[in-house]
Amino acid sequence: MKETPDHPVVVVKIENTVGGAPQTALNDADLVVEELVEGGLTRLAAMYYSNLPTRVGHVRSLRITDIGIVTPVNGVLVATGGAGQAVRRVANAGVQVFSEDAGSPGFSKDPAKYAPYNRWANLQTIVEKAKPASPNEPFLPWAENSNDSEPAPSDDPSALATGPEPKVFSAASVRFSRSSVTQFRLKNGKWSRTNGHADKEFEADNLIVMFCRVGDAGYRDPAGNPVPSTELEGSGRAVVVDAEGHSVELTWKKPAIDSPITFEAADGSPYLLEPGRAYIALAPKGDGSVDLK
């Protein structure tokens, strides 16, 4: 059995606009979460555990939404800083933060870029300085071999399904706002963005769209835009598309802010994901949408 790493999970906040391009070492992440921020834009929370690149970026500021991403895995949050209210909320949640604004080690400047889109983080330096920690439990519900929600094979020919073959999708569009739509393509069993900003795109075995309530974080950005806060707690609709292009409608559940995510099928049975890497899009309930083709 492969031993698990002896360092904490590291969650890095990464700019997700052309201003922060190219995103560096995104393809080394184990899991990527895309979340809504002010102005209808989105930002990434990239989770690193299997690999610790020495140059990840470009790093940006934290948000209150990150509490529900970091705490279930007892992780370390890496950001350039954040608004005072957000920094206090994250600290009060017990999250270990490495912030450039606070003088944390591991940050460097990209000479080809300008502030605030020019910061890299060295994750090896950060874990050397981080307090020892390990994930309490997996962030997502993984199957050991095959999905438990699928029927077991039968030797009785009469028990074999006679319905139509499930529809296969090879493209997806997730709408976060009027100005932000992330597009994906399935190629060789991997989902990756077609309008992303990475030097090498993250490849996911599972594309997960979770529809979440979005509230007001209680402060505004320097341009005067209200800052949203995705409520990553409770339950809601989810759409999962696997590496074969099969889609399933589910309900996501997260009883508390520090709970992991679970999924339920329509009949109430647990749904387990095939092991691999995952891209999670936190689409706003009501305004968000997913289109599969």
Side-chain angles (χ1 to χ4, degrees), residues 96-107:
Q96 185 179 180
V97 178
F98 275 71
S99 166
E100 186 189 40
D101 285 358
S104 298
F107 292 90

Side-chain angles (χ1 to χ4, degrees), residues 147 167-174 184-186 189-192 204-210 237-250 263 271 273-274 277-280 290-293:
N147 202 305
K167 190 170 183 179
V168 175
F169 300 97
S170 60
S173 295
V174 180
F184 301 86
R185 177 71 64 180
L186 178 64
K190 303 291 182 181
W191 288 97
S192 60
D205 301 278
N206 301 278
L207 175 60
I208 303 168
V209 184
M210 294 170 51
R237 178 192 174 208
V239 177
V240 173
V241 197
D242 65 18
E244 296 180 348
H246 298 145
S247 170
V248 60
E249 287 273 347
L250 303 167
F263 298 105
Y271 184 92
L273 300 166
E274 293 296 331
R277 301 200 293 179
Y279 191 108
I280 303 177
V290 57
D291 181 27
L292 301 176
K293 295 180 181 180

Side-chain angles (χ1 to χ4, degrees), residues 114-126:
Y114 58 89
Y117 308 107
N118 64 341
R119 295 302 195 266
W120 284 318
N122 184 327
L123 304 194
Q124 293 187 15
T125 297
I126 287 171

Side-chain angles (χ1 to χ4, degrees), residues 31 33-35 45 47 64-72 139-140 209-215 229-236 252-263 280-283:
L31 182 146
V33 181
E34 185 172 1
E35 62 187 73
M47 193 175 291
I64 294 172
T65 302
D66 302 327
I67 296 172
I69 299 171
V70 180
T71 53
F139 188 68
L140 292 169
V209 184
M210 294 170 51
F211 293 90
C212 309
R213 291 183 296 272
V214 176
S229 178
T230 299
E231 298 176 10
L232 197 49
E233 183 178 7
S235 64
W252 67 264
K253 292 193 172 183
K254 198 170 183 291
I257 196 70
D258 59 352
S259 299
I261 297 167
T262 59
F263 298 105
I280 303 177
L282 300 180

